[in-house]
Amino acid sequence: MTVEGSIVMPLGSFPRRMTVLRLQDGGSAVWSAIPLHEQQMARIEALGPVRFLIVPNKAHRLDLRPWHDRYPGAQIIAPPVAREAVTEAAPVNATEDILRDPAIGLQPVDGTEAGEFALTVKRRDGTTLILNDVLSNVRHPNGLGAQIMARLFGFGVTRPQISRPVRRMLVKDPAALASQFRAWAAIPDLHRILVSHGDVIDQSPKETLDRVAADLAG
């Protein structure tokens, strides 16, 4: 399950996305947690216990504390570089894949010095790639402030791309990140890409990743 929320900003709002994964041995893992109404929280709890809270980078710890308070038994996973910052919100239990689910792969993103996570999720309809800030697809910014920010900083208004702030602050090795994008593009049954900011990419996901890799190499 995935849900799009928003970050309120002057003269508009900016989209953000949370994804919930059903685990094979019961319960769920939550990627980039955001607050939901009780009816939606009940849908998550119907899957079983919330067992893992995945914080994909240090900037996505905003709502971690209330989720930790509600599900104190959930283990928190954060990238190695983000551990200290995330611990300010809640204790980090691991900095690597401890999900123990053969259909879900959690990995640090090459080229970000272990500062960003990504997920691959295999289901009957194919593989879903779940990315965080390393790719944006904000095609419908809401409000004047969001429109200015999305266009000025390159958050993917016309096509999915790596935003300028992410290139500056998160990408440490563009060549390694380009190789990472090409490796994801080579997944045989790649079906869709979910990003933490923007629309689901379900049209030509392979071509999108190859193009972004080429942009990095250029």
Side-chain angles (χ1 to χ4, degrees):
M1 297 188 292
T2 185
V3 60
E4 186 175 86
S6 61
I7 301 171
V8 177
M9 57 183 296
L11 301 177
S13 61
F14 198 72
R16 58 176 176 159
R17 180 176 301 278
M18 177 181 80
T19 301
V20 181
L21 309 170
R22 185 198 298 269
L23 301 172
Q24 285 192 6
D25 57 355
S28 65
V30 177
W31 169 274
S32 193
I34 64 177
L36 301 176
H37 294 297
E38 280 301 319
Q39 183 178 2
Q40 284 72 44
M41 296 299 289
R43 291 184 62 190
I44 295 171
E45 291 166 355
L47 299 176
V50 174
R51 294 173 51 202
F52 301 98
L53 299 173
I54 305 170
V55 185
N57 73 25
K58 65 181 181 180
H60 283 247
R61 66 188 191 276
L62 177 64
D63 295 301
L64 180 61
R65 169 56 64 182
W67 276 76
H68 174 64
D69 290 345
R70 182 166 180 139
Y71 307 110
Q75 297 189 72
I76 296 172
I77 310 173
V81 171
R83 181 169 198 150
E84 182 177 356
V86 174
T87 300
E88 295 173 0
V92 173
N93 300 102
T95 57
E96 69 284 332
D97 189 350
I98 58 170
L99 301 176
R100 294 179 292 277
D101 189 315
I104 301 173
L106 176 67
Q107 65 176 108
V109 177
D110 290 345
T112 67
E113 292 188 349
E116 175 100 334
F117 273 153
L119 281 170
T120 53
V121 183
K122 295 186 178 297
R123 296 291 189 253
R124 279 179 289 185
D125 64 348
T127 297
T128 296
L129 173 64
I130 303 176
L131 301 180
N132 189 47
D133 289 343
V134 78
L135 186 64
S136 297
N137 191 37
V138 183
R139 308 299 288 275
H140 308 97
N142 181 23
L144 179 61
Q147 291 181 30
I148 292 172
M149 187 183 82
R151 286 173 168 80
L152 181 64
F153 294 112
F155 278 97
V157 176
T158 59
R159 62 181 187 174
Q161 65 185 94
I162 303 173
S163 70
R164 293 183 181 91
V166 166
R167 281 179 181 260
R168 184 176 68 253
M169 295 184 291
L170 188 62
V171 178
K172 307 301 181 184
D173 186 338
L177 182 56
S179 295
Q180 178 74 85
F181 273 93
R182 286 191 290 268
W184 286 327
I187 297 172
D189 61 346
L190 182 64
H191 185 61
R192 67 175 69 85
I193 306 168
L194 305 183
V195 294
S196 285
H197 300 291
D199 296 352
V200 175
I201 302 168
D202 54 8
Q203 300 294 319
S204 304
K206 176 188 184 304
E207 290 76 11
T208 295
L209 295 169
D210 281 333
R211 177 185 53 76
V212 175
D215 289 347
L216 277 166

